[in-house]
Amino acid sequence: MGFEIKNNDSERREYWMRMLDKADAFMQAVTDYPVKECREPMVSLEEAARAEKVEVVFSDLPHMHGLSRLFYLRTGLIGQFLAVAREMNERGWMLKVEEGYRTMEMQKSLLNRNIFSAILCRVQWECGCYRPQVDLLYRRIGALVALSPKLGTHMSGSAMDVSVLLRDTGGELDRGGRYLEMSELTPMDSPFIAEQSGKNRREITGIMHKHGFVDYPFEFWHYNDGDAYSEYLNNTRRPARYGAVHMNSLDGSVTPIENPVAPLISTDVIREMMDQILAEQPEKARRTI
């Protein structure tokens, strides 16, 4: 039984709202999930792949605001990472790592004007093209761009965002959307993608699961292990061993972030950004329902 391509706009809107509400509830649950930080250091994925002669591609795009990407994971995840990459090579694929560890500055900078505008556009669509309530927009952003260190598991060194390339041509394997798609296509099990795209997502996720990584259900590119996301999704009832940390770039050692649930961006900042963008739109978009 394959994916059915649906074109009914109301179905797409209902699905978007339902999945983002679920993502918001997930974030609330993870906020309260216990973490017992193990202080395991970080290791460079680029160095690990090179040492083991495994073909892995790393994004050459700068991070937001021109920051350098940091392709690191915790030491205990390196074996799993290499096993995933090897199996993909055997299938004629290459793992492309889009993101690894993020500093607090990197996580904050994710919400640039382009990404903010994309999310705002979807929330306006959800609200019949009117101005959304700030709290709704904040929750939607929080489901797609984590707004606290604990919820941004890249800051734990336990998550990576990936694409997959064809080994012979270098072309990207079709997953029904590109990295950082912000729409009803974004959830892993979206019914609005082609059958082959859904099959590709499931095969990639199967490899990741086989080697210990868990998929974030609301983004088809995000996988992690050992943090609050994975322990909650696997219902282990164990404290997460990886929490939000600062990394020492010289030796990979880590220091826990003091208040990992503190918001990275306030609702006032969200309101200001929305006002700036809506000021450029027709009057209807500036009115609340």
Side-chain angles (χ1 to χ4, degrees):
M1 182 176 177
F3 282 78
E4 179 187 357
I5 300 177
K6 302 178 182 178
N7 296 310
N8 187 302
D9 198 57
S10 63
E11 289 185 43
R12 289 175 176 267
R13 185 180 292 108
E14 187 278 332
Y15 178 78
W16 159 270
M17 294 167 63
R18 176 160 48 85
M19 294 306 293
L20 270 291
D21 283 344
K22 285 186 176 182
D24 179 57
F26 172 84
M27 291 297 189
Q28 295 301 318
V30 170
T31 296
D32 297 329
Y33 199 88
V35 176
K36 189 175 181 180
E37 173 57 51
C38 66
R39 291 182 179 257
E40 199 173 276
M42 305 274 190
V43 172
S44 165
L45 299 181
E46 293 175 286
E47 292 179 8
R50 189 161 48 246
E52 294 297 321
K53 297 181 172 56
V54 180
E55 288 187 75
V56 180
V57 177
F58 296 89
S59 175
D60 58 2
L61 296 175
H63 199 269
M64 308 302 176
H65 298 179
L67 299 170
S68 298
R69 294 178 188 263
L70 299 172
F71 300 113
Y72 286 79
L73 287 179
R74 299 293 188 107
T75 305
L77 302 179
I78 299 303
Q80 297 169 219
F81 159 74
L82 292 170
V84 166
R86 285 194 191 96
E87 182 162 342
M88 288 194 176
N89 286 172
E90 291 167 3
R91 287 180 176 234
W93 295 350
M94 289 187 297
L95 181 68
K96 179 181 180 182
V97 182
E98 304 281 3
E99 286 269 25
Y101 171 70
R102 290 186 194 134
T103 65
M104 190 176 294
E105 182 183 8
M106 292 169 73
Q107 188 68 35
K108 286 182 178 180
S109 72
L110 274 182
L111 200 61
N112 65 7
R113 184 182 173 90
N114 289 340
I115 290 180
F116 184 91
S117 295
I119 298 173
L120 174 59
C121 181
R122 301 307 295 183
V123 181
Q124 285 181 274
W125 169 69
E126 173 183 344
C127 296
C129 297
Y130 285 91
R131 173 193 175 97
Q133 297 285 348
V134 174
D135 64 335
L136 174 64
L137 180 59
Y138 193 85
R139 288 190 288 110
R140 296 302 190 234
I141 290 171
L144 295 165
V145 181
L147 294 179
S148 77
K150 183 177 182 179
L151 297 178
T153 52
H154 287 279
M155 294 184 64
S156 302
S158 55
M160 57 181 174
D161 292 342
V162 306
S163 298
V164 176
L165 308 182
L166 299 172
R167 202 173 179 186
D168 56 350
T169 66
E172 184 172 336
L173 192 70
D174 178 22
R175 295 180 292 170
R178 303 295 296 274
Y179 176 56
L180 290 184
E181 172 77 33
M182 297 288 178
S183 74
E184 68 278 9
L185 306 180
T186 304
M188 182 65 77
D189 293 329
S190 173
F192 302 108
I193 60 174
E195 182 176 357
Q196 184 59 51
S197 302
K199 183 174 183 291
N200 290 342
R201 288 186 185 189
R202 293 191 296 275
E203 288 188 2
I204 293 166
T205 297
I207 294 173
M208 301 298 285
H209 285 184
K210 178 180 176 181
H211 299 292
F213 290 101
V214 177
D215 62 290
Y216 175 53
F218 309 104
E219 293 175 349
F220 63 81
W221 55 76
H222 181 106
Y223 297 89
N224 47 283
D225 187 34
D227 51 35
Y229 276 26
S230 67
E231 300 299 339
Y232 179 80
L233 288 167
N234 284 328
N235 195 29
T236 66
R237 303 191 179 185
R238 297 188 304 248
R241 67 185 186 276
Y242 302 136
V245 293
H246 298 293
M247 180 184 74
N248 184 324
S249 60
L250 297 178
D251 61 8
S253 61
V254 302
T255 305
I257 290 174
E258 287 187 9
N259 187 1
V261 298
L264 294 170
I265 300 172
S266 69
T267 53
D268 288 341
V269 170
I270 298 296
R271 183 183 291 105
E272 290 172 11
M273 294 177 72
M274 179 169 63
D275 287 344
Q276 290 172 6
I277 293 171
L278 294 187
E280 303 166 6
Q281 296 184 10
E283 182 182 352
K284 178 181 176 181
R286 301 195 291 274
R287 298 202 309 267
T288 304
I289 297 175

